[in-house]
Amino acid sequence: MNKAIFLDRDGVINKDLSYVYKKEDLFLLDNVIEGLKELKAQGYFLIVISNQSGVARGFFKEEDVRSFHEEIQHRLIENNCSVDAFYYCPHYVKGVVEKYSIECNCRKPKTGLVEKAQKDFDLDLGECVVVGDKVSDMELAKNIGCMGIQIQGNYPLSTDYPVKKDLLEVSEYVKEITTFRIKS
Ligand SMILES: [Mg+2]
Ligand SMILES: [Zn+2]
């Protein structure tokens, strides 16, 4: 079985400009490349798990989400780095686009997307880590039963999970605790 880092997208990889979908609004956050490389070197799959309710809200289309993800991957590849997969939830129960305005099982902190990734990558969820900038990301970690790490951004902080400033700090922390686990 394998292990993965479940990465939130907005506020973890790229700047959270609120319902961002245009390529010109893609700004990678500090130390993203370095952090992803370090996590990869530790043997993790890098899997983006993202709520994109802007689709249900009628702000943009699924094609926009996918081309934004292609652009992220492109920028990473330019820096000799990449993520292994992008999973997103386009739903929102109070949306305006009928097709997407449902109570789904994949909007975080629900676990539908993680369960899909678990099958696709044969993951041992107990060895996985959720990284996000919202308390709801930490709720996802709790619902999966894995470790959670919150990145400090524009949102209230959880009191139950460690807080780090960027993905490089996250990678250092993950290394530290997994080394400790092996020793003990
Ligand atoms: Mg976020
Ligand atoms: Zn969904």
Side-chain angles (χ1 to χ4, degrees):
M1 287 187 114
N2 303 305
K3 57 183 183 175
I5 308 289
F6 297 123
L7 298 150
D8 176 42
R9 195 192 80 182
D10 304 326
V12 171
I13 292 178
N14 55 281
K15 211 184 250 186
D16 184 356
L17 297 175
S18 187
Y19 302 108
V20 54
Y21 70 98
K22 290 180 190 156
K23 287 177 185 179
E24 55 267 36
D25 292 332
L26 170 56
F27 301 99
L28 293 184
L29 291 167
D30 288 345
N31 289 328
V32 163
I33 304 282
E34 295 81 353
L36 292 178
K37 281 182 179 170
E38 177 54 39
L39 288 165
K40 193 85 219 173
Q42 291 175 42
Y44 289 93
F45 280 116
L46 305 176
I47 299 176
V48 177
I49 303 272
S50 171
N51 284 347
Q52 293 301 326
S53 70
V55 176
R57 293 174 206 263
F59 298 158
F60 47 78
K61 303 221 178 318
E62 278 200 71
E63 299 91 273
D64 299 315
V65 177
R66 286 195 287 262
S67 62
F68 194 78
H69 291 169
E70 278 168 23
E71 185 66 16
I72 291 175
Q73 190 73 303
H74 178 71
R75 300 269 190 98
L76 296 179
I77 288 168
E78 277 178 345
N79 290 281
N80 303 310
C81 178
S82 64
V83 295
D84 296 289
F86 291 89
Y87 296 87
Y88 64 91
C89 164
H91 307 114
Y92 182 60
V93 73
K94 291 179 187 142
V96 298
V97 182
E98 202 180 349
K99 182 181 164 192
Y100 300 105
S101 301
I102 57 165
E103 183 74 61
C104 66
N105 71 354
C106 57
R107 180 170 165 80
K108 294 186 292 183
K110 289 186 180 174
T111 56
L113 296 177
V114 165
E115 283 156 27
K116 186 163 191 325
Q118 199 263 331
K119 289 194 190 89
D120 292 348
F121 288 86
D122 188 28
L123 300 173
D124 176 356
L125 293 182
E127 294 293 314
C128 294
V129 184
V130 171
V131 180
D133 65 335
K134 287 188 183 171
V135 169
S136 58
D137 294 304
M138 300 304 102
E139 286 167 1
L140 174 68
K142 193 174 158 201
N143 292 341
I144 303 167
C146 73
M147 193 198 310
I149 303 172
Q150 194 172 5
I151 288 199
Q152 185 155 24
N154 303 322
Y155 298 100
L157 295 175
S158 159
T159 50
D160 301 331
Y161 290 87
V163 176
K164 301 292 159 193
K165 81 170 166 29
D166 59 34
L167 274 181
L168 187 58
E169 268 199 3
V170 166
S171 72
E172 286 159 359
Y173 179 75
V174 168
K175 192 171 195 174
E176 199 180 293
I177 50 167
T178 48
T179 307
F180 175 75
R181 252 195 218 159
I182 292 160
K183 274 189 204 149
S184 58

